[in-house]
Amino acid sequence: MISPVLLTGSRVVLRDWTPEDIEAYRRWIVPPAPGTTPSGLHEWQLFDGPFYSRWTADGANRWCDGLLRRAHDADWPAVRENLAVVDAASGEFVGQASWYWEEKPGEESADGTALLPWRRLGLVVFDPAHWSGGYGTEALALWTDYLFAATDSGRLDFATWSGNVGMCRVGQKLGFTEEARFRKARKVRGELYDAVVYGVLREEWEAHRGARGGPRL
């Protein structure tokens, strides 16, 4: 049986999904009832990729039902693709950490040419009560630490937009480098913003951890 994953910090814990986490997650991604929010969206949706398509109620429920089945069977890959983020003090579900392939590795040719394992990170803190308190910074630190330890990736990065000031600050605090800025590539609520990519190399992360005594900020 695969061993559970539990990444513990002072503010947050990243863990395999529990049924309680999934039901809380469901409440954050199923669209709010009409008239219950000024924008018709959850507040987190105003900042997390607002230019992408939104969850439908049916899609959100099907996704969460699938997660429940996986949680019941402990059907997780050896390297987790996502983890629940919970408040370390209360155990309350507050968000999720994830990754996806920006580019999958390929077989190296005789002359030493190959596609490398290129993983892109995702992080959402759904609950506004947990914004600006260091929760997202610690969650991304724990997630980055885990993925460098569990995989052969030489780099990790995340993509965001210049209007998501909080996520940009998280990357800066953790020593990620702004590697790309695509000017005026996003339009949000009538205004143009830049698309931004922050990345960190394995050796940079190890030096950053050594300087701080670990990723828990």
Side-chain angles (χ1 to χ4, degrees):
M1 184 176 178
I2 193 166
S3 298
V5 169
L6 188 70
L7 312 177
T8 304
S10 61
R11 295 179 178 87
V12 297
V13 172
L14 275 62
R15 67 187 184 195
D16 289 327
W17 294 87
T18 69
E20 294 76 18
D21 295 333
I22 295 165
E23 292 307 329
Y25 176 47
R26 189 193 303 269
R27 291 191 291 273
W28 283 113
I29 66 172
V30 168
T36 58
T37 66
S39 63
L41 301 169
H42 296 292
E43 191 170 352
W44 68 269
Q45 293 178 305
L46 300 176
F47 300 96
D48 184 60
F51 24 78
Y52 294 126
S53 59
R54 296 295 178 199
W55 285 106
T56 64
D58 181 62
N61 283 312
R62 282 189 286 107
W63 178 256
C64 289
D65 290 344
L67 267 183
L68 281 171
R69 290 190 292 271
R70 297 185 69 185
H72 177 269
D73 298 334
D75 180 24
W76 310 121
V79 177
R80 302 301 198 268
E81 297 169 342
N82 51 66
L83 292 173
V85 179
V86 302
D87 185 305
S90 67
E92 175 190 1
F93 173 84
V94 297
Q96 72 161 338
S98 61
W99 70 268
Y100 62 90
W101 287 116
E102 178 66 16
E103 206 161 68
K104 290 186 178 181
E107 186 175 349
E108 188 168 323
S109 66
D111 69 353
T113 302
L115 293 173
L116 296 175
W118 185 351
R119 291 174 170 89
R120 178 153 288 177
L121 310 176
L123 175 70
V124 186
V125 176
F126 296 109
D127 186 358
H130 288 81
W131 295 353
S132 302
Y135 298 93
T137 302
E138 186 175 69
L140 191 65
L142 290 167
W143 190 227
T144 302
D145 200 40
Y146 166 76
L147 287 172
F148 274 136
T151 75
D152 59 350
S153 284
R155 59 165 290 116
L156 296 168
D157 64 38
F158 67 86
T160 186
W161 59 295
S162 57
N164 191 344
V165 175
M167 194 64 193
C168 293
R169 286 177 178 165
V170 165
Q172 294 158 6
K173 287 178 183 178
L174 291 177
F176 281 59
T177 296
E178 184 185 304
E179 296 182 328
R181 179 174 288 265
F182 304 95
R183 294 173 298 168
K184 296 185 177 181
R186 302 297 190 200
K187 188 174 185 179
V188 179
R189 293 178 283 278
E191 299 291 333
L192 293 175
Y193 294 87
D194 301 341
V196 191
V197 176
Y198 286 89
V200 66
L201 303 180
R202 178 181 290 271
E203 57 268 27
E204 294 171 340
W205 184 250
E206 290 172 353
H208 175 79
R209 287 188 69 224
R212 292 186 174 269
R216 296 158 178 77
L217 304 182

